[in-house]
Amino acid sequence: MKPSYLRFFVFAACMAVFSAYAQYQNNPGSNHGNKFEQLGTLLSDPNVYRTASGAPGHQYWQQRADYVIDVEVDDDNQRVIGSETITYTNNSPDPLSYLWIQLDENEHKADAESKKFDESSLSEQVTTSQLQSLIRSDKDLGVKIQKVTDGAGKALAYTINYTMMRIELPTPLKSGAKFVFKIEWQYNISDRMAEGGRGGYEYFAEDGNYLYTITQWYPRMAVYSDFQGWQNKQFTGRGEFALVFGDFKVNITVPSDHVVGATGECRNYASVLTAAQLDRWKQAQQADEPVEVVTLEEAHKAMKGKATDKKTWVYEAKNVRDFAFVTSRRLVWDAMRVKEGIEGHAPMAMSYYGPEAYPLYRPYSTKVVAHTLKVYSKHTFPYPYPVAISVEASNGMEYPMICFNYGRADKDGTYSEATKYGMISVIIHEVGHNFFPMIVNSDERQWTWMDEGLNTFCQFLAEQEWDKDYPSRRGPAHKIVDYMKLPKEQLEPIMTNSENIVEFGPNAYAKPATALNILRETVMGRELFDYAFKEYARRWAFKHPTPADFFRTLEDASAVDLDWFWRGWFFSIDPVDISLDDVQHFQPMGNLQDAQTTAKAAFENDLNTVSRQRNIDEGVNFAVEADTALQDFYNKWDRFEIAEEDKRAFKQYYESLSSDEKALYDGKYHFYQLKFSNKGGLVMPIILQWTFADGTTEIERIPAYIWRKNESEVTKVFAKNKEVTAVLVDPLRETGDIDEGNNAWPRTHTPTRFQLFKQQQGPARGASTGPNPMQRAKRSGQ
């Protein structure tokens, strides 16, 4: 059967002006690169430890380290004094001849590498602190190892290399065997307000007291894994920690008027709290609203004295990778039970904060902790730990079950909306780190985005559930545009080591969070994404995942090929910039009168467009001249008049058509041929909003696979049963397109600052007078 051929009337006139903006230049060489090829060698090969599906393999293993620690915080000399017993279990198939220990406090030593390898420069005006940072400090900071012995007390040889310590084993530690050893150490606590870093002290001169955030404080086991052996990359202050899971028992000795909050559960509240505080703690365990266990009045009273005796707080934590604590006499402590929203579990949400944070933390902090646990549990797995703590410490950092955040009111007790939302965001973020990486235990020393990016994405979900109008800074696609527009020398792929990132926040936090949000909302859809994301979290809870495990799991659980997405968003620095370069309108010649009317309208609209743009560009009131010329033109000759012989020929042609062909012609379909170019390089779905002559709109989505045969430009035809008056690419700003100026047909023109200046100077010399063209456009609704 021979195909039928339809005749179209092409409305080329409607494109006379628009085509002038189609300036896309084809890429030299091939138009088909590798954006849709599988990642292949970019990912590690699957094996018995990590499967091709992204799940742990049948021989997956990981090491274990259990700690018993005695520690004292010397409030007179700002010093930590500690001793620990570590039981290390070698679950690997390999014999180990030495162990690696992390000594993160050595980051603060005067000769630390982190104080040498960053660039520095001086300007005409510098602050005192900037100059002081250039002068070698005489503070005696860094870990002092007093003794390293085996379980029987026999000395072990060791070597310290900056923030890493290698302990020599008397005999190789065989697979399945345990090794018990002891370390005694101490260090002077750094002033984190001056020295920086995550832990340390803050001194409050007005009341003479200290707030101690004790983090990265004990010699910690480094990770030995199947995919990289020992993770002994030095800690320089940015890339965080790969750590080993185990159980902790920690005895914390502090002045008796201090309040302590820590990872895990306190086993001796009856010994360290007053009777009234213990009663309030019991009330909090059943409360739906935060109860002050240690009140503001009690904190103010403690701040006025200084106890000379001491108390020991006993904490235990099961199956955690780290331990941190806060201690001070200037703390309020409130708590409540999270009774709903976490399947099979009701943890305690708690906050510790000073008087300066009371106006913000008392009404918000603990409720935000509870909200975070509920939302994250919904998207990953039920929160498994017994407590989650938020501490106000003028900074942000996370550890299992406890995190340190900011959020202080002004001296008069007031605060701005920006401070409030900033505090809520950082609490959500740091509490959320309980899931990534405290439980889904990725290695931020190598892949910062695996905890910061995934956590920032979940933070965005929690913020939007806290308030649908929440002013989230990271997550929405359009928020990443300014970063993606930067010069290429200021960009690096998400898959970049933490120390090598220039724009750390946008690269490690915002861009991966945006990518995941785009995956959920635009590429995969919520149902498929949520299932796959939860599967990844469930598979790798309390284990050590790699990027390949994440990439593979999301594909495996969804049946969506995402290699093109990982390649573009995570392995490249290309931005999204999809340009709508050409629109052509075709219509079957079923009604010559309609064709005549439409062509006239298109021509008139075209001429008006020319007049408006010339008026903007030249500052000349060309529109009035164009209107007069158009009227004169129509009075003299109708270029669109249909000749009688053409009418007879069409009638004969029409009568020769079959009933199906006549139905198609009479259906008055409009066909639009659109040409797109990929100016940015990052392939993405094409999302179109069609606006019709009757005022209605329609959104249509084209998968990213349309670019698979030509990554530079594509053309596609759309059939519509109504006339289209406008087309817009990415109408909901879903893809992070860096240039929205080439997304619309007809083009929308925004005057430059110079053009606006010219308009303010009045019409050009010799120009005709008339109404302001911008006002005219406004009156006509254009």
Side-chain angles (χ1 to χ4, degrees):
M1 181 177 179
K2 293 184 179 180
S4 298
Y5 292 93
L6 308 181
R7 296 183 180 180
F8 287 88
F9 186 85
V10 184
F11 298 114
C14 69
M15 289 306 302
V17 174
F18 181 73
S19 294
Y21 294 93
Q23 300 295 329
Y24 178 73
Q25 300 294 324
N26 287 329
N27 290 333
S30 172
N31 63 8
H32 181 58
N34 67 346
K35 290 180 171 55
F36 286 91
E37 300 306 318
Q38 298 298 288
L39 291 178
T41 56
L42 290 177
L43 301 183
S44 57
D45 291 336
N47 50 50
V48 295
Y49 310 123
R50 296 167 192 273
T51 69
S53 71
H58 67 281
Q59 293 187 32
Y60 175 83
W61 56 267
Q62 64 188 39
Q63 309 292 63
R64 179 179 180 87
D66 298 308
Y67 298 81
V68 177
I69 306 176
D70 293 292
V71 59
E72 179 179 350
V73 176
D74 181 349
D75 189 38
D76 293 325
N77 300 294
Q78 289 71 60
R79 181 180 300 150
V80 164
I81 305 165
S83 64
E84 65 183 0
T85 299
I86 303 175
T87 302
Y88 186 75
T89 304
N90 181 17
N91 291 318
S92 80
D94 311 319
L96 302 177
S97 57
Y98 48 79
L99 306 178
W100 280 104
I101 307 291
Q102 301 183 54
L103 303 178
D104 299 305
E105 268 300 315
N106 283 348
E107 173 209 4
H108 293 120
K109 295 181 70 173
D111 61 348
E113 287 186 18
S114 58
K115 298 178 181 180
K116 300 176 181 179
F117 57 48
D118 280 339
E119 292 183 88
S120 59
S121 61
L122 291 175
S123 59
E124 291 184 1
Q125 292 183 332
V126 294
T127 65
T128 301
S129 60
Q130 287 174 327
L131 291 177
Q132 288 175 337
S133 68
L134 299 173
I135 302 171
R136 182 162 176 163
S137 173
D138 57 357
K139 296 178 180 178
D140 185 18
L141 300 178
V143 180
K144 307 292 191 301
I145 299 295
Q146 309 293 315
K147 186 186 296 186
V148 180
T149 64
D150 63 15
K154 186 177 180 180
L156 294 173
Y158 63 88
T159 301
I160 296 176
N161 176 16
Y162 187 29
T163 63
M164 289 289 171
M165 178 170 72
R166 186 183 67 239
I167 296 178
E168 310 296 336
L169 299 178
T171 59
L173 183 62
K174 296 179 180 180
S175 176
K178 298 178 185 289
F179 182 70
V180 178
F181 62 103
K182 300 179 179 181
I183 303 176
E184 296 180 13
W185 81 98
Q186 62 176 298
Y187 67 86
N188 294 324
I189 305 171
S190 63
D191 179 352
R192 61 177 171 79
M193 308 302 290
E195 297 286 336
R198 291 163 170 81
Y201 69 76
E202 180 179 359
Y203 178 65
F204 294 83
E206 59 270 27
D207 53 70
N209 288 298
Y210 291 85
L211 172 68
Y212 298 98
T213 54
I214 307 302
T215 67
Q216 295 127 250
W217 54 281
Y218 61 98
R220 306 185 292 178
M221 288 301 310
V223 167
Y224 182 78
S225 68
D226 63 277
F227 60 88
Q228 67 178 349
W230 284 107
Q231 168 49 293
N232 54 11
K233 183 173 174 57
Q234 299 288 347
F235 176 59
T236 62
R238 174 174 279 185
E240 290 170 11
F241 325 108
L243 296 166
V244 184
F245 284 104
D247 295 341
F248 285 74
K249 181 179 180 182
V250 183
N251 305 307
I252 305 169
T253 301
V254 295
S256 62
D257 53 359
H258 273 218
V259 173
V260 174
T263 297
E265 296 177 285
C266 183
R267 297 305 189 192
N268 67 333
Y269 278 148
S271 301
V272 294
L273 299 181
T274 67
Q277 290 168 348
L278 188 60
D279 285 343
R280 293 195 290 264
W281 166 247
K282 293 176 181 178
Q283 294 172 24
Q285 291 178 294
Q286 304 301 324
D288 296 321
E289 291 287 326
V291 173
E292 287 185 31
V293 179
V294 176
T295 67
L296 178 63
E297 181 181 0
E298 289 170 330
H300 276 301
K301 182 178 179 180
M303 289 162 57
K304 295 176 181 177
K306 192 172 183 180
T308 56
D309 56 336
K310 301 174 183 178
K311 287 183 180 178
T312 297
W313 299 58
V314 179
Y315 275 87
E316 292 184 0
K318 302 293 185 182
N319 204 20
V320 294
R321 68 171 214 160
D322 201 1
F323 190 102
F325 66 96
V326 60
T327 179
S328 179
R329 63 177 54 87
R330 57 186 329 280
L331 289 175
V332 178
W333 165 25
D334 71 40
M336 63 179 278
R337 177 75 69 184
V338 185
K339 296 180 180 179
E340 298 178 357
I342 304 175
E343 183 180 350
H345 194 38
M348 292 296 295
M350 305 195 290
S351 298
Y352 295 77
Y353 45 93
E356 57 283 331
Y358 191 90
L360 276 161
Y361 267 60
R362 183 66 180 91
Y364 291 112
S365 178
T366 297
K367 292 181 179 179
V368 175
V369 173
H371 172 79
T372 303
L373 298 183
K374 293 176 184 179
V375 175
Y376 276 64
S377 294
K378 179 173 65 175
H379 289 284
T380 57
F381 43 75
Y383 181 70
Y385 290 137
V387 301
I389 298 171
S390 166
V391 179
E392 200 294 316
S394 190
N395 67 343
M397 188 56 199
E398 71 279 358
Y399 302 88
M401 299 186 235
I402 187 171
C403 59
F404 304 93
N405 314 304
Y406 84 90
R408 296 177 183 177
D410 295 332
K411 292 291 186 181
D412 61 1
T414 63
Y415 52 84
S416 67
E417 285 290 287
T419 298
K420 181 187 80 172
Y421 282 117
M423 175 203 70
I424 292 173
S425 289
V426 77
I427 292 174
I428 292 174
H429 184 88
E430 306 303 347
V431 172
H433 271 307
N434 278 290
F435 295 81
F436 307 100
M438 301 305 154
I439 297 172
V440 182
N441 192 17
S442 55
D443 177 5
E444 187 172 344
R445 195 67 56 90
Q446 293 287 2
W447 306 294
T448 307
W449 69 270
M450 285 199 74
D451 68 342
E452 297 296 359
L454 270 61
N455 185 44
T456 302
F457 164 69
C458 291
Q459 172 193 338
F460 171 67
L461 299 179
E463 288 173 349
Q464 296 305 304
E465 291 197 35
W466 177 267
D467 181 349
K468 66 181 180 63
D469 297 317
Y470 196 96
S472 297
R473 291 194 309 120
R474 292 165 171 164
H478 68 276
K479 298 278 189 177
I480 199 64
V481 166
D482 286 343
Y483 172 67
M484 302 283 274
K485 290 167 70 172
L486 289 175
K488 290 187 179 297
E489 61 268 18
Q490 296 182 38
L491 299 172
E492 52 275 313
I494 291 175
M495 290 289 290
T496 299
N497 182 270
S498 59
E499 276 84 11
N500 303 335
I501 299 172
V502 177
E503 296 284 345
F504 192 72
N507 179 279
Y509 293 69
K511 187 178 177 182
T514 302
L516 295 179
N517 191 37
I518 290 173
L519 268 186
R520 184 174 190 254
E521 300 292 346
T522 302
V523 176
M524 299 174 69
R526 291 186 179 183
E527 183 177 358
L528 285 175
F529 177 89
D530 288 352
Y531 181 91
F533 189 77
K534 184 177 289 188
E535 179 68 8
Y536 166 74
R538 185 192 65 79
R539 283 178 174 181
W540 290 98
F542 300 103
K543 296 181 177 68
H544 305 302
T546 68
D549 301 318
F550 179 72
F551 298 151
R552 286 169 169 152
T553 295
L554 261 66
E555 293 192 24
D556 182 71
S558 68
V560 180
D561 181 5
L562 296 171
D563 282 35
W564 63 271
F565 190 87
W566 309 131
R567 185 183 293 277
W569 277 92
F570 287 77
F571 288 89
S572 86
I573 58 174
D574 289 341
V576 179
D577 183 8
I578 297 174
S579 174
L580 175 55
D581 290 336
D582 191 31
V583 177
Q584 295 202 35
H585 178 194
F586 297 79
Q587 192 174 23
M589 293 174 57
N591 189 323
L592 287 181
Q593 192 62 45
D594 286 350
Q596 180 188 26
T597 301
T598 305
K600 277 187 176 182
F603 180 77
E604 182 176 351
N605 181 68
D606 185 39
L607 193 56
N608 286 337
T609 301
V610 172
S611 69
R612 287 195 304 273
Q613 184 57 32
R614 181 172 165 187
N615 199 29
I616 291 171
D617 290 341
E618 301 179 9
V620 178
N621 196 341
F622 182 68
V624 175
E625 296 176 358
D627 289 343
T628 303
L630 184 65
Q631 188 62 49
D632 291 344
F633 180 81
Y634 281 140
N635 289 339
K636 294 177 181 178
W637 175 58
D638 187 353
R639 63 178 293 182
F640 300 103
E641 183 179 1
I642 303 172
E644 289 299 324
E645 59 269 25
D646 290 334
K647 293 179 181 179
R648 288 192 297 271
F650 176 76
K651 182 178 180 182
Q652 181 180 1
Y653 165 74
Y654 181 76
E655 290 175 351
S656 70
L657 299 177
S658 68
S659 58
D660 288 341
E661 291 170 335
K662 287 181 179 179
L664 180 58
Y665 276 155
D666 294 339
K668 297 183 179 180
Y669 285 98
H670 299 261
F671 296 87
Y672 292 90
Q673 179 175 290
L674 276 58
K675 181 180 178 182
F676 306 92
S677 59
N678 180 6
K679 292 182 177 292
L682 185 53
V683 293
M684 286 292 286
I686 301 175
I687 307 165
L688 299 174
Q689 177 178 280
W690 303 90
T691 301
F692 300 101
D694 62 4
T696 61
T697 61
E698 172 193 357
I699 290 182
E700 188 164 356
R701 296 173 181 273
I702 307 164
Y705 260 44
I706 193 173
W707 301 99
R708 70 194 184 282
K709 295 180 180 178
N710 188 334
E711 296 163 3
S712 300
E713 59 182 32
V714 294
T715 300
K716 191 168 181 64
V717 177
F718 303 85
K720 302 297 175 184
N721 57 12
K722 294 186 288 186
E723 183 181 354
V724 173
T725 59
V727 185
L728 180 63
V729 176
D730 196 17
L732 302 179
R733 310 181 82 188
E734 296 179 56
T735 66
D737 196 309
I738 65 169
D739 183 3
E740 296 178 327
N742 57 24
N743 286 10
W745 172 80
R747 281 285 195 258
T748 55
H749 301 290
T750 303
T752 66
R753 294 175 62 186
F754 179 68
Q755 289 167 348
L756 291 173
F757 173 77
K758 287 178 65 177
Q759 292 171 21
Q760 293 171 0
Q761 307 310 304
R765 184 173 300 174
S768 61
T769 60
N772 183 289
M774 300 303 289
Q775 293 175 341
R776 178 179 181 277
K778 184 177 181 181
R779 286 200 300 272
S780 65
Q782 298 171 351

